[in-house]
Amino acid sequence: MTAAGELRAEFADTLEAYFEGRLSLSDYLGWEVLFTLEPNRTINPAVTMDAASLSLLGQEFLMDLRPLEEFEAEGRAVLAKIRTQPAAEAAGG
């Protein structure tokens, strides 16, 4: 697996852990800070952008600016996208 693929898999595993209740929102936010530091930030910019966008939604929830449902809906959409990408990449050759 490439470094970009490994980062994508780690991101998906982290989101799944959140949705399964094994990680809290605070755990996700802490993970995201470390995840998006160099060199990870430049390995897979699309994944980094998705992680950072979710982080912003999570931070806004903590500041009572957004409902948690917005973070979770976006998180589920990102997770679905991540989980379909490996199959699409393999099919593309």
Side-chain angles (χ1 to χ4, degrees), residues 68-82:
L68 182 60
E69 291 79 15
E70 288 186 29
F71 169 85
E72 292 184 344
E74 185 64 19
R76 289 184 193 286
V78 167
L79 183 58
K81 180 177 77 171
I82 291 170

Side-chain angles (χ1 to χ4, degrees), residues 51-69:
S53 294
L54 282 175
S55 179
L56 177 60
L57 290 173
Q59 293 290 344
E60 289 177 344
F61 164 73
L62 293 176
M63 294 185 297
D64 291 327
L65 298 174
R66 290 185 183 269
L68 182 60
E69 291 79 15

Side-chain angles (χ1 to χ4, degrees), residues 1-42:
M1 182 180 294
T2 65
E6 289 173 9
L7 287 175
R8 188 175 53 245
E10 180 182 343
F11 184 28
D13 291 345
T14 300
L15 286 174
E16 286 177 345
Y18 170 80
F19 287 118
E20 292 170 358
R22 294 182 285 121
L23 292 178
S24 68
L25 178 59
S26 294
D27 293 331
Y28 172 80
L29 295 173
W31 170 86
E32 185 274 337
V33 168
L34 296 174
F35 177 77
T36 57
L37 294 174
E38 287 291 344
N40 293 345
R41 180 176 51 188
T42 56

